[in-house]
Amino acid sequence: MRFFSALMPREARFFALFDRHGALIVEGSNAMLELVRDYSNTARRAELIHHIGDIERSADKVTYETVSLLHATFITPFDRNDIHRLISGMDDVLDLMQDAAESMHLFDIQTLPPMSLRMAQLLQECCVKVQAGVGFLSSMDNATRALALTQEIDILESDADEVSRTGISLLFREEQDVRQLIKHKNVYEYLENAIDKCQDIANIIESVVVENV
């Protein structure tokens, strides 16, 4: 079994960066959940949309630091491509959350579709597990727990697919305003895509663990 702790101290910086990004993903998902839950509060809505944008920009800086460190490091904790895929996937999750939040403002969405709250809850649960999963990568002693988390994320992603399909089906059956239908379908799709990205990260975590135990 390989132990990442035996690597040069500098390389531990990758795991610190993963942890920072993971914390920002959770912060963003918490803000998204609050945004969807309290959407009728227009003042708070604007604050949260702005806050999610700030979080995304902070995460961009962490992604840049990680890629820069990757270019400057001769021996990496695990495969270079996996490191790049991992941090890029994490960044994509926040990009999609920001896209979802900004679309609510740009498209002047005044009400959200009924199942968007459940989607936001599933996204938040996925993000908490992503944060834990990337944290486990610092030691293969955590391999079993990391793999269990990837399975939990897969289950949440399947749940989200079902919720999204049901929500969109209801829109096409019940929504008479075509513009409103398009807006609400867009909300479902952004949230579902963010959850799909969490599953992509879970797949990367699983690959790293399998290759390094």
Side-chain angles (χ1 to χ4, degrees):
M1 181 178 291
R2 301 179 189 177
F3 295 94
F4 291 154
S5 58
L7 297 168
M8 295 192 310
R10 185 183 182 197
E11 295 179 6
R13 290 171 57 192
F14 283 107
F15 302 113
L17 290 164
F18 295 155
D19 287 343
R20 281 171 55 195
H21 208 302
L24 288 167
I25 285 176
V26 171
E27 185 180 355
S29 69
N30 289 340
M32 177 60 68
L33 180 55
E34 183 182 351
L35 172 63
V36 174
R37 179 181 288 139
D38 301 326
Y39 198 73
S40 60
N41 184 337
T42 54
R44 183 60 178 155
R45 182 197 307 174
E47 291 174 1
L48 287 165
I49 291 172
H50 182 75
H51 181 50
I52 291 168
D54 285 343
I55 296 169
E56 191 277 333
R57 285 183 284 276
S58 295
D60 280 345
K61 294 177 182 178
V62 179
T63 300
Y64 177 80
E65 287 182 53
T66 306
V67 173
S68 296
L69 180 61
L70 187 60
H71 291 318
T73 303
F74 181 66
I75 301 174
T76 56
F78 49 89
D79 184 81
R80 289 176 178 274
N81 186 52
D82 285 338
I83 291 174
H84 193 275
R85 288 170 60 219
L86 183 63
I87 198 67
S88 297
M90 293 170 73
D91 202 51
D92 288 343
V93 173
L94 271 169
D95 285 344
L96 287 162
M97 278 193 260
Q98 183 188 30
D99 288 344
E102 288 190 346
S103 72
M104 294 172 189
H105 169 69
L106 293 174
F107 299 157
D108 191 30
I109 297 175
Q110 295 304 314
T111 61
L112 295 179
M115 293 188 178
S116 56
L117 177 57
R118 182 57 185 149
M119 291 293 289
Q121 290 169 336
L122 288 166
L123 175 59
Q124 195 269 347
E125 291 178 47
C126 282
C127 289
V128 169
K129 293 182 187 300
V130 164
Q131 181 189 27
V134 296
F136 284 149
L137 290 178
S138 61
S139 170
M140 287 298 101
D141 288 344
N142 300 319
T144 300
R145 287 185 290 175
L147 290 175
L149 274 176
T150 64
Q151 295 303 309
E152 292 170 13
I153 293 170
D154 283 344
I155 292 170
L156 291 171
E157 191 275 336
S158 294
D159 290 346
D161 279 348
E162 183 176 349
V163 172
S164 180
R165 283 196 299 267
T166 301
I168 291 173
S169 176
L170 286 172
L171 281 178
F172 278 98
R173 288 204 302 267
E174 299 177 359
E175 182 57 61
Q176 300 300 313
D177 186 331
V178 174
R179 289 180 301 175
Q180 188 80 337
L181 185 151
I182 293 170
K183 291 177 182 182
H184 282 182
K185 183 173 179 286
N186 189 71
V187 170
Y188 282 134
E189 289 176 344
Y190 274 129
L191 294 173
E192 183 178 8
N193 288 341
I195 294 170
D196 287 345
K197 277 295 175 183
C198 289
Q199 186 185 38
D200 290 345
I201 295 168
N203 291 338
I204 297 167
I205 292 171
E206 182 178 23
S207 174
V208 169
V209 170
V210 169
E211 291 173 4
N212 288 280
V213 293

